Amino acid sequence: MQKTLFIKLTVIASLCVLFAIGLTMFSNVITERQYYAESVVREIADQHVNPQEIITPFIAIPVTTTPECTSADNKANKCAPPFTTIDTVFAAQSLATQKLDVSTNTYQRGIYHATSYNGEITFKQSYKPQTAIESIETADMPDTTAVRDTIATAKQAITHWEQAKLIIPVSDLRGVPTLPTVTIDKQTLKATYPSVSMLNGLSYVEVALPQNTVTQLKANATALPHTANSNINANQAIDITIDLPLAGISNLNTVPTGSNFELSMQSNWHAPNFIGKALPNTKDFSAEGFTANWQNQYLTVANNQYLSQCLSTANNSCTVDSRARLDSGNPADYGAAAAVVQEAAGSTNHGNLNSVRLNSFGVSFAEPNDVYLQTERTMKYALLLILISFGTFFLFEVIKSSRIHPIQYLLVGCALLTFYVLLLPLAEQIAFWQAYAVAGSSCVGLIGWYTYYVLGGVKRAVIFTAILAGLYAAFYGILTTEDLNLLLGAVFCFILLACVMVMTRKIDWYKIA
């Protein structure tokens, strides 16, 4: 008898190892399906529109600087050529409002789809010319010898006021269905695409500033008497409103600039994932969706410094890296911290800045029913389910003196594995809970019918079927409580072990052996 018991336990253990290998192979199938779904989303992004990153609009003014050239240098043809830089004027106050309608039906490829959003972003900005010009004059420049020498020896700097533009950066302009409408001091203007880009690495639309706005900025910069033109009040704030229609997929990042920046977002989506370098100060969830509000002065000031330094390098030689990544990308890429890449020492690039990545924050519109993640989490309990089923069969053999052949163990185990084979393709077509119910009911029904013949009685088959159905229900309950699933799983295992110990407390294992 002892040899027979040992052989039976060895067979059961071998079957468990065999099924563990099968579960590992099926996990690879889940990974492949998930990768394929992500590749479809990337294809949709390439063909239609990417995730979006929006930089808060600002004013850019080109400046041409001619370095001083001595007569000796002129004779030796060593005079440094003129170079251009960009002066930036940031808003004294910006209020951004984003109203987004999120849907999963816009972009589809068979059973796969991308979560897309469509809506309008409104910027309400106020520029104070005197403060803005002072910030240009006293802005922190990169602490490099090249810049100090350039400023010290500059012979002439010409500010091209007539080329001053309001810059509205959008990482993927395919998501701007119509050019935004801009109101500057009650004057309505239409943005245009730049004929020649003056900002390296940025995709943007621009608005030429009206003459009276340029005059206000110029009056402060050139210290013109305010009485020279009775119609010009150089200290009066410049109010700008920007209505930007926007579409994108997966996530939306916002880069704050200026002195005081606030962002308010409203959406119908019920499962937002807040990403980037700052969480919302306030957030509220309801049946209609969610609202969130951001305000972070530190990130705004840091962006001002890095952006102004990058644009002030000579001849547009610094690149502003502004783009958003898909959910499948590296989470560290979401609104990476502001970073500056410097060129090697001795570079002729004024400021030695090569590229800059700005701080951002925003929302990723995560799928509330990620079938691949939930299927993978379900499979973590698969081996436990098989062990309990085999253990129940073994207890029937010990307590009720039933004889169950290893082939019957094998068939029941295969039926349990079939649950996961059914679950994934069903979940790709219908809701996960529906797929779980259909696959679970099918397998429980099949195994319950089979155990009627294996255990030789209706009562025993009903007991086993009830245990199996209870296990599926318990596992689903654990899966749906994301914050407590580990705790509930541990409690469940403890209760299960306690039940086994209570049921076998009077068994004389030496006698059985």
Side-chain angles (χ1 to χ4, degrees), residues 436-487:
Y436 192 98
V438 172
S441 301
S442 301
C443 291
V444 169
L446 175 63
I447 295 174
W449 169 81
Y450 184 68
T451 53
Y452 168 75
Y453 298 96
V454 173
L455 300 178
V458 175
K459 183 178 179 181
R460 296 178 182 181
V462 169
I463 293 175
F464 184 82
T465 303
I467 293 174
L468 190 60
L471 289 174
Y472 278 115
F475 289 150
Y476 183 78
I478 293 174
L479 291 172
T480 54
T481 54
E482 296 183 0
D483 297 332
L484 299 175
N485 55 5
L486 181 60
L487 175 61

Side-chain angles (χ1 to χ4, degrees), residues 28-47:
N28 295 333
V29 174
I30 296 176
T31 302
E32 291 176 2
R33 299 288 289 183
Q34 184 177 19
Y35 177 78
Y36 182 71
E38 292 172 352
S39 67
V40 171
V41 175
R42 287 193 293 268
E43 179 184 345
I44 292 173
D46 291 337
Q47 294 179 352

Side-chain angles (χ1 to χ4, degrees), residues 91-239:
Q93 186 172 5
S94 293
L95 175 61
T97 303
Q98 300 176 354
K99 296 181 179 180
L100 303 175
D101 181 23
V102 184
S103 173
T104 59
N105 300 323
T106 305
Y107 303 111
Q108 291 183 322
R109 295 287 188 277
I111 62 174
Y112 303 105
H113 61 266
T115 304
S116 63
Y117 54 85
N118 186 45
E120 187 172 89
I121 299 177
T122 301
F123 290 97
K124 294 184 178 180
Q125 296 185 303
S126 178
Y127 290 81
K128 295 181 179 179
Q130 184 66 43
T131 304
I133 297 302
E134 289 175 355
S135 67
I136 291 178
E137 295 173 349
T138 61
D140 293 333
M141 298 294 291
D143 188 16
T144 60
T145 304
V147 172
R148 291 197 299 271
D149 292 344
T150 300
I151 296 176
T153 61
K155 180 180 181 180
Q156 184 180 17
I158 302 175
T159 302
H160 301 283
W161 296 101
E162 72 284 357
Q163 299 180 24
K165 302 290 178 61
L166 176 68
I167 304 299
I168 309 173
V170 180
S171 62
D172 191 346
L173 289 174
R174 294 178 300 174
V176 182
T178 58
L179 289 172
T181 301
V182 179
T183 303
I184 303 178
D185 288 335
K186 299 181 180 181
Q187 183 177 352
T188 302
L189 303 169
K190 202 72 173 179
T192 60
Y193 297 106
S195 55
V196 178
S197 178
M198 61 179 177
L199 305 178
N200 191 15
L202 281 183
S203 61
Y204 63 92
V205 293
E206 62 184 17
V207 177
L209 297 180
Q211 183 59 43
N212 60 334
T213 303
V214 173
T215 303
Q216 281 184 265
L217 294 172
K218 187 176 180 180
N220 287 276
T222 56
L224 290 177
H226 295 171
T227 57
N229 188 338
S230 59
N231 295 325
I232 298 299
N233 183 358
N235 291 321
Q236 182 179 354
I238 301 172
D239 295 324

Side-chain angles (χ1 to χ4, degrees), residues 16 50 82 105 156 296 399:
C16 289
N50 285 294
N105 300 323
Q156 184 180 17
N296 192 300
I399 298 175

Side-chain angles (χ1 to χ4, degrees), residues 61 198 254 267 349 354 358 436 496 512:
I61 308 171
M198 61 179 177
T254 302
S267 175
N349 186 23
N354 185 33
L358 303 176
Y436 192 98
L496 185 64
I512 294 175

